[in-house]
């Protein structure tokens, strides 16, 4: 029988000094994060630098004015630039997109998280992710040729039965290329984003709370109302805000299915509306130097609005994560 003492392994030295590979990885990640901030700052500086003269000449009227008139020496017209109507149209279309898209997206996320079997769940997740990568021009063409005829019929039904509501009133029988149709197209576009975020939030619901709800005799729907919704409410709101940010900055899809009119109309079914992004793409090709500077200023306004929406969304999502 061997009675010799066992040989102990050498002591491992514990140190907090990062290795060379850790330093390289940290440097790459830091450079990537800072580059995003630098690029955003350069974009903002470029837009402000080119549009500062318009902000100085127009002042607050640039945000509140409804006229977009380029200077003409032949007709004796002075330049007047205002994005008030287009900014209002942008917010209306974004609100309609959230109103139509978020309930469908949350329902799809619930189905994928708690109801769908695996043989359906996996391909549907792939389809949702692929939808987020489809170019906006495809959505615009689909909305113009496929969705618009059906949406016009839905708009006529809304006017027929709800015309006593000012939003659904129609001063003229013009239903095509309306904010209602543009909102539907944008709703389809933001559904993949909101669905993915909501599904991730639902997946983080504590399992002990779910099992406790079932132990008390709750059905699956009762468990969702009592546990999943309260836990993921902030995440759902954050996903909706991110979808709103995508909708506010959309260009080609809105330009394809919306008739630009420089006026504020509360009738969402009427073929008259606008958005800042679609106005920019409509004017950019034929604009002269002064109008180009005005378009840069309009782009900076849209940049600030979209950045503000995404900033609010990040705050909501971070607070939800801390609560979890």
């Amino acid at each position: 029988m061997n009675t010799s003492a066992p040989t102990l392994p050498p002591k491992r030295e514990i140190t907090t000094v990062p290795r060379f590979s850790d330093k390289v990885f940290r440097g790459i990640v830091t450079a990537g994060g800072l580059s995003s901030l630098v690029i955003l700052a350069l974009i903002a500086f470029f837009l402000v630098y080119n549009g500062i003269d318009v902000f100085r000449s127009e002042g607050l009227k640039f945000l509140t004015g409804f006229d977009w008139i380029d200077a003409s020496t032949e007709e004796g017209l002075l330049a007047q630039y205002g994005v008030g109507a287009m900014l209002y149209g942008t917010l209306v279309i974004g609100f309609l997109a959230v109103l139509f898209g978020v309930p469908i997206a949350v329902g799809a996320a619930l189905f994928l998280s708690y109801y769908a079997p695996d043989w359906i769940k996996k391909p549907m997740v792939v389809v949702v992710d692929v939808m987020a990568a489809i170019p906006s021009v495809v959505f615009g063409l689909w909305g113009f040729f496929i969705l618009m005829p059906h949406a016009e019929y839905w708009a006529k039904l809304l006017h027929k039965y709800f015309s006593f509501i000012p939003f659904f009133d129609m001063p003229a029988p013009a239903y095509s290329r309306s904010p209602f149709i543009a909102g539907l197209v944008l709703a389809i576009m933001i559904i993949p984003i909101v669905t993915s975020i909501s599904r991730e939030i639902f997946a983080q619901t504590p399992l002990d709370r779910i099992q406790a709800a079932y132990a008390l005799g709750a059905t699956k729907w009762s468990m969702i109302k009592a546990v999943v919704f309260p836990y993921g409410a902030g995440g759902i709101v954050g996903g909706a805000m991110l979808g709103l940010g995508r909708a506010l900055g959309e260009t080609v899809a809105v330009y394809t299915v919306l008739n630009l009119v420089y006026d504020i109309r509360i009738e969402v079914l009427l073929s008259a509306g606008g958005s800042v992004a679609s106005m920019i793409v409509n004017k950019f090709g034929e604009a002269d130097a002064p109008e180009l500077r005005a378009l840069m200023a309009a782009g900076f306004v849209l940049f600030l609005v979209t950045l503000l929406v995404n900033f609010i969304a990040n705050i909501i999502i971070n607070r939800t994560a801390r609560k979890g």
Side-chain angles (χ1 to χ4, degrees), residues 23-254:
K23 294 180 179 179
V24 172
F25 177 76
R26 182 177 181 178
I28 294 174
V29 173
T30 303
L34 292 177
S35 63
S36 301
L37 298 177
V38 171
I39 292 173
L40 285 176
L42 290 176
I43 293 174
F45 175 77
F46 172 78
L47 295 175
V48 171
Y49 178 78
N50 288 276
I52 188 65
D53 293 335
V54 178
F55 287 123
R56 289 175 178 174
S57 61
E58 298 294 335
L60 188 61
K61 292 189 298 182
F62 185 74
L63 297 177
T64 60
F66 298 161
D67 297 324
W68 189 277
I69 302 174
D70 195 18
S72 176
T73 56
E74 298 178 355
E75 300 179 2
L77 295 177
L78 298 177
Q80 296 182 16
Y81 302 116
V83 296
M86 296 295 103
L87 190 59
Y88 169 80
T90 300
L91 297 176
V92 169
I93 296 171
F95 173 77
L96 291 175
V98 171
L99 181 65
F100 295 138
V102 171
I104 298 176
V106 173
L110 287 175
F111 176 76
L112 293 175
S113 299
Y114 297 104
Y115 290 96
D118 290 338
W119 63 274
I120 294 180
K121 178 179 179 179
K122 294 180 179 179
M124 285 191 66
V125 170
V126 174
V127 170
V128 171
D129 294 339
V130 170
M131 284 182 61
I134 296 177
S136 60
V137 64
V138 176
F139 283 102
L141 294 175
W142 170 81
F144 185 81
F145 290 105
I146 305 298
L147 179 64
M148 187 177 296
H150 302 283
E152 290 180 9
Y153 176 72
W154 302 334
K156 292 178 182 178
L157 290 178
L158 288 174
H159 170 63
K160 180 179 180 180
Y161 295 104
F162 299 99
S163 59
F164 58 90
I165 302 176
F167 296 104
F168 301 135
D169 191 16
M170 290 292 291
Y175 294 91
S176 62
R177 304 190 69 183
S178 65
F180 172 73
I181 298 176
L184 289 177
V185 174
L186 291 183
I188 301 298
M189 294 183 65
I190 69 173
I191 281 176
I193 300 175
V194 183
T195 300
S196 299
I197 295 176
S198 300
R199 185 167 55 85
E200 292 297 329
I201 294 297
F202 295 156
Q204 297 175 9
T205 305
L207 184 59
D208 56 346
R209 301 183 187 180
I210 297 177
Q211 293 177 343
Y214 283 139
L216 294 174
T219 62
K220 182 171 293 188
W221 175 239
S222 299
M223 180 275 297
I224 291 174
K225 291 190 296 181
V227 178
V228 177
F229 280 159
Y231 179 81
I236 295 174
V237 174
M241 296 290 286
L242 290 176
L244 177 61
R246 167 71 186 278
L248 293 178
E250 184 52 46
T251 304
V252 179
V254 176

